[in-house]
Amino acid sequence: QIACDHMNTDSLATDSSPAQKPWSVCLDDRFGLAHQIRSKQCRLYSLGLGSDDTRFEVSMANNGCEVHRFDPSVKSAHVLQNQRLWYHRLSIDWRDPHPAVAAQKPHSSTRKLGSVLNEFGHHKIDVLKADLESAEWKVLENLILEDVLEQIGQLIFEIHLHWPGFEVSGSDSSVVRFWYSLLKELELKDFRLFHSYKDLSKPQLFLKKDIFNASSCYTLSWVNTRWK
């Protein structure tokens, strides 16, 4: 939807294994991220579920970003890996725990992104990266419904198409309409797609729910054209 002349992507790394996912950010001066990185004021949130590949996060931290990696598999509640890279034992969800559950588990490891931003006192995220293994559609819906998108400069999401996703149900056509409505909402919020990546070594499946252990995904990158 929009041309980005300067992109950084981890696909330039020497390891060209097919499992690698190029997470791309747009560094054109008109969108401000390059300036934030140069002035050491960049903040990146990375949402994951046990992935060991954190080269993108390490690279962004080395370039001057304050990086927060949220992953329920992290051993300790909060770990400062190096000067700019934090690991948090938290799973970002589309809802907060029920109050009754939260009362029994005051240190529950599930939060909505908006709740985490409030807890951490962060008002803006320059880059939000998410690799949530099919939970991304409901998380994206939550970001739209709660106007959290306005606090985000660039979105990099891995989206899965081989089944509807967690807590998404209905006929194939209604699932596609739900997905499409979220993508159109991003557009209405002035987010524009600047990069798309598909690993051609993976199966090319679309809503094949009956195939076990199948995966079909795209890595999509959007920039908030209103971002200041």
Side-chain angles (χ1 to χ4, degrees), residues 88-118:
H88 307 280
R89 192 176 58 211
L90 276 173
S91 173
I92 302 300
D93 207 342
W94 55 92
R95 61 196 160 201
D96 282 331
H98 187 278
V101 175
Q104 295 169 355
K105 298 181 179 177
H107 303 294
S108 170
S109 63
T110 301
R111 301 273 199 295
K112 292 187 297 188
L113 185 63
S115 302
V116 171
L117 285 168
N118 288 335

Side-chain angles (χ1 to χ4, degrees), residues 35-124:
H35 172 73
Q36 292 292 91
I37 291 173
R38 285 194 295 268
S39 60
K40 309 290 188 199
Q41 294 181 320
C42 158
R43 179 177 294 128
L44 179 145
Y45 271 31
S46 170
L47 320 181
L49 293 171
S51 169
D52 294 327
D53 186 358
T54 55
R55 282 173 293 184
F56 176 74
E57 289 81 354
V58 170
S59 169
M60 293 294 280
N62 289 341
N63 283 324
C65 278
E66 171 193 330
V67 177
H68 295 269
R69 167 80 177 169
F70 298 90
D71 188 328
S73 68
V74 174
K75 291 183 173 63
S76 303
H78 304 284
V79 180
L80 182 59
Q81 184 79 8
N82 63 38
Q83 189 183 357
R84 293 184 170 274
L85 179 58
W86 285 89
Y87 285 86
H88 307 280
R89 192 176 58 211
L90 276 173
S91 173
I92 302 300
D93 207 342
W94 55 92
R95 61 196 160 201
D96 282 331
H98 187 278
V101 175
Q104 295 169 355
K105 298 181 179 177
H107 303 294
S108 170
S109 63
T110 301
R111 301 273 199 295
K112 292 187 297 188
L113 185 63
S115 302
V116 171
L117 285 168
N118 288 335
E119 278 182 41
F120 285 24
H122 294 163
H123 303 294
K124 284 188 171 185

